[in-house]
Amino acid sequence: MKKIAIFASGSGSNAENIISFFRTEKTAVVTKVFCNNPKAAVFERCKRLQVDAILFSKEDFFKSDNILNQLKDVADYIVLAGFLLKIPTNIIEAFPNKIINIHPALLPKYGGKGMYGMHVHTAVKENNEQETGITIHFVNENYDEGAIIFQATTKLEPSDSPEDIAQKIHTLEYKHFPKVIESVILQ
Ligand code: GAR
């Protein structure tokens, strides 16, 4: 069975959804959650779900092989679920086409540095977009530029607030992200 490590920085609702999915499907297992934010709610979710979760520092991540060494034991694949730091080259090189990110917009629109979470949905609203969506893609050295694996769209109403848009995006993410991860693992 393939092992998945999840990286998350915040609420972790996608992390929870992926953990639950693979507990039923058993085509892979989420072994560990890595988080850079001590206040992230993902820690409470992992405690409740009894999944190992660790907090790491930027120093550990960018200036040592500590995280890479831990990953070698627990991961065949790495899934970024609301993770806000760039992945360092040592990890990208050790996991070619094995790191999968979800972005809450239709890349290449609304991607790049600073475009995450509500910043994306506010920009979508300001531009009066009639639709938005999710992009699931492999991770390379540049933010949001790796090969696209899957996209799904959702229609927007003029009355939708950024919070409404976030909710529509989360619905798409919960529906598709675990299945797309599974399809990559099984191919
Ligand atoms: C998700 O919508 C995810 O697509 C987005 O952060 C949210 C995390 O929610 N990721 C990015 O913006 C990455 N650029 P969650 O913590 O509840 O899963």
Side-chain angles (χ1 to χ4, degrees):
M1 193 189 290
K2 297 292 184 194
K3 292 176 280 185
I4 298 172
I6 295 181
F7 281 67
S9 299
S11 161
S13 68
N14 276 286
E16 175 162 359
N17 186 47
I18 295 162
I19 291 164
S20 302
F21 177 89
F22 284 107
R23 280 188 174 166
T24 309
E25 289 300 310
K26 302 192 190 324
T27 43
V29 60
V30 175
T31 52
K32 193 161 182 164
V33 173
F34 291 77
C35 179
N36 62 305
N37 172 9
K39 296 191 183 137
V42 73
F43 284 111
E44 282 145 45
R45 294 183 194 268
C46 287
K47 200 170 168 196
R48 174 164 45 78
L49 295 163
Q50 298 185 306
V51 172
D52 205 10
I54 66 143
L55 174 67
F56 63 87
S57 65
K58 282 191 179 176
E59 186 88 16
D60 259 352
F61 199 43
F62 293 113
K63 296 193 175 147
S64 80
D65 281 335
N66 289 349
I67 303 300
L68 176 61
N69 290 338
Q70 289 191 51
L71 281 167
K72 283 180 177 161
D73 290 333
V74 298
D76 299 302
Y77 289 84
I78 297 171
V79 169
L80 311 183
F83 184 63
L84 303 185
L85 299 178
K86 200 168 169 182
I87 301 297
T89 315
N90 62 342
I91 296 178
I92 289 179
E93 284 176 354
F95 289 86
N97 281 339
K98 298 269 166 60
I99 311 177
I100 304 167
N101 181 45
I102 191 159
H103 186 78
L106 296 169
L107 291 173
K109 285 172 126 182
Y110 304 104
K113 199 166 161 53
M115 271 295 168
Y116 60 88
M118 288 308 293
H119 297 288
V120 175
H121 309 314
T122 303
V124 166
K125 171 76 187 167
E126 279 169 2
N127 287 335
N128 296 313
E129 296 284 0
Q130 291 177 6
E131 65 170 24
T132 186
I134 58 169
T135 303
I136 299 169
H137 65 95
F138 290 116
V139 172
N140 66 13
E141 294 78 7
N142 301 319
Y143 270 111
D144 303 328
E145 285 183 16
I148 291 175
I149 305 164
F150 176 88
Q151 290 185 306
T153 61
T154 183
K155 291 256 170 291
L156 297 177
E157 303 300 327
S159 59
D160 281 339
S161 66
E163 289 73 21
D164 296 327
I165 298 173
Q167 203 171 348
K168 286 184 172 181
I169 289 297
H170 266 132
T171 302
L172 280 184
E173 291 181 335
Y174 301 153
K175 179 175 175 200
H176 295 290
F177 198 17
K179 287 186 192 159
V180 173
I181 296 165
E182 185 179 52
S183 73
V184 169
I185 287 173
L186 293 179
Q187 81 193 355

